[in-house]
Structure formats: C-alpha cells, structure tokens
Amino acid sequence: MKVLAISSSPRRDGNSWTMAEAAAKGAREAGHEVESVYLADHVGGMLDDCRRCRLSDGACGIGDGYERLLMDRVLPADGLIIATPLYWYGMNGRLKTFFDRLFCYTAGSSPVGETVSAALPGKRVAALISCEESYRGATLGLEAQFQELTRYLHQELVGIVVGVGNSRGEVGSDPSRPLERAEDLGRRLFDVRVTDYRLDTPRSNRVWGAPEHEDDELY
Ligand SMILES: Cc1cc2nc3c(=O)[nH]c(=O)nc-3n(C[C@H](O)[C@H](O)[C@H](O)COP(=O)(O)O)c2cc1C
C-alpha cells in the first residue's frame, strides 16, 4: 500500500515530525511504500475568495505546490499519516489551510473536481498530535475534528496518538510512549478494526474471533 506522512509543523525536526517519522517507520516495517513530506514545502497561500482568484477554467489560482501535492501524492495514497502540533487547541494553521483549500479542488467548478472527489474516500488515516499540555480536554476538539473530517470524506480514522512535549523532540521523553504508539499505529494502518455501528448493523456477539468456551457466548 502507498502511505503519505504529512508533517504540518513549521518546526522541521520538531515533535510532530518525530511522531510522523515513528508512524512512517512502522508502516515501512509492515511492507508499505511510505513517503514523508513537510506541508510547508508545498502549501504557502491561504484559501481566498474563489470568485477573485479562480482562473478562467475554474482552476485554483493560488500559485504554490498545493495542487501537485494533492494530485501526485495525497490522492494516490491508500493511507495518510497526518501530524500536527496543537495550536490554540486546534490543528496548526497550515494543516487547516490544507483542508480549507480542498474546497477549491472538490467544487463543481474545478476542472479536477470529480477526480479529486472520487479519489479522497476510502483512505485510512492516522492522526498524530503533539502538545505541551497533558490536560485531556486540550486535544478533544481537534480529535473530534479529525473524526468529522474523515467521516465527511468517507475515510477511516484508524487512531489518534497524542504525545506531550514542548522542546524539539521532547515527545520522546513522554512516559506514555507516544513514539511507540505512533509506530504501532503506522504498522497496523491497514489492519486496525474500525467500526461505526448502527442499531441494525448485523454483527456477532464476539469482536475478536471464535469463543474458546461455549459459555463465553453468554457474555
Ligand atoms: C502558536 C502555538 C500555539 C500553541 N498552542 C498550544 C495549545 O493550545 N496547547 C498546548 O498544549 N500546546 C500548545 N503549543 C505548544 C505546541 O503544541 C508544542 O510545543 C508541540 O510539541 C510543538 O510541536 P512541533 O515541535 O511539531 O512544532 C503551542 C505552540 C505554538 C507555537
């Protein structure tokens, strides 16, 4: 499988990059083809008023590497590892801009709108968050946003790893071992069991295979 690891912090060898590389290592060890990118190398401009900056054929007119990143790297990937530092209790601005600008590429007026909208669903997504605070509420809004983004895009959010650290690379000292958890998530990117039941979803009583004893079925 193809995997793209996107690190969105402006700090090149910072905590989110370190977490992204841990997940990339796991994915590579599982036999996947993995590429890592710094979002800052590709995304420069913010979403603007499309009526003003859209080109005459409906294409986005913001002249940076966004389109090539999207078309050549994001769309062909089967799995995405998305790493962000927590900024003001949300994702960092460049990653938000990455999502904001998807609007221009999925719009009906875009010459690539149908291609992009057809290629975004089905990807498996691992989200990695680095932050200073260990307060559980600090990342909750962002975790919910990742859940809703992937739901909207028909993607599977396989897991979220939060690593606590502030200085460059400090997540490696977090006793909750976020780097190991990120590596494990990367390794299992395509194996993690993702469910989203409804009342009438057909299912057995057991989640993980056959019972060892018949009585187990009672529980
Ligand atoms: C602009 C800015 C806003 C931040 N906001 C928060 C925050 O709301 N909560 C938090 O716990 N840490 C916050 N931090 C700290 C970073 O999330 C933390 O240092 C993170 O590990 C940086 O990751 P990086 O090395 O990948 O850039 C903020 C840092 C910056 C620069």
Side-chain angles (χ1 to χ4, degrees), residues 14-33:
N15 290 317
S16 30
W17 170 258
T18 306
M19 289 176 74
E21 283 307 279
K25 178 171 180 272
R28 241 176 240 118
E29 283 173 3
H32 306 303
E33 188 187 319

Side-chain angles (χ1 to χ4, degrees), residues 122-216:
K123 299 185 192 304
R124 295 210 132 208
V125 177
L128 310 172
I129 304 168
S130 56
C131 55
E132 182 180 359
E133 292 178 65
S134 61
Y135 165 57
R136 191 64 193 87
T139 58
L140 280 185
L142 178 53
E143 292 182 41
Q145 189 175 20
F146 275 122
Q147 184 69 64
E148 292 309 307
L149 278 168
T150 49
R151 181 195 57 78
Y152 178 79
L153 295 170
H154 291 294
Q155 299 173 339
E156 303 275 23
L157 181 63
V158 301
I160 298 176
V161 175
V162 178
V164 175
N166 202 24
S167 305
R168 222 175 276 264
E170 207 188 355
V171 275
S173 306
D174 178 346
S176 78
R177 300 200 291 265
L179 299 184
E180 283 173 38
R181 286 185 286 125
E183 187 177 324
D184 180 60
L185 192 57
R187 188 174 291 115
R188 297 187 303 114
L189 189 57
F190 298 97
D191 302 327
V192 172
R193 185 171 188 273
V194 179
T195 59
D196 181 10
Y197 290 159
R198 299 295 184 273
L199 183 64
D200 51 357
T201 303
R203 56 196 189 262
S204 83
N205 286 341
R206 296 190 63 82
V207 174
W208 305 115
E212 282 185 24
H213 308 289
E214 263 178 40
D215 286 356
D216 287 356

Side-chain angles (χ1 to χ4, degrees), residues 22-159:
K25 178 171 180 272
R28 241 176 240 118
E29 283 173 3
H32 306 303
E33 188 187 319
V34 187
E35 188 185 10
S36 303
V37 295
Y38 280 113
L39 202 56
D41 290 338
H42 305 273
V43 179
M46 291 180 73
L47 175 72
D48 211 330
D49 180 350
C50 290
R51 282 171 301 180
R52 281 195 321 204
C53 53
R54 184 193 293 144
L55 303 179
S56 54
D57 66 350
C60 176
I62 303 172
D64 58 10
Y66 186 98
E67 183 165 337
R68 295 278 45 96
L69 174 71
L70 180 64
M71 304 305 285
D72 302 343
R73 287 163 153 158
V74 175
L75 297 190
D78 304 293
L80 299 173
I81 293 164
I82 302 177
T84 179
L86 189 71
Y87 277 6
W88 295 101
Y89 306 102
M91 64 180 67
N92 89 330
R94 202 175 303 265
L95 183 58
K96 182 62 164 53
T97 287
F98 171 80
F99 287 112
D100 288 352
R101 285 179 57 189
L102 269 184
F103 173 79
C104 313
Y105 290 85
T106 53
S109 54
S110 165
V112 293
E114 279 182 28
T115 309
V116 174
S117 298
L120 284 170
K123 299 185 192 304
R124 295 210 132 208
V125 177
L128 310 172
I129 304 168
S130 56
C131 55
E132 182 180 359
E133 292 178 65
S134 61
Y135 165 57
R136 191 64 193 87
T139 58
L140 280 185
L142 178 53
E143 292 182 41
Q145 189 175 20
F146 275 122
Q147 184 69 64
E148 292 309 307
L149 278 168
T150 49
R151 181 195 57 78
Y152 178 79
L153 295 170
H154 291 294
Q155 299 173 339
E156 303 275 23
L157 181 63
V158 301

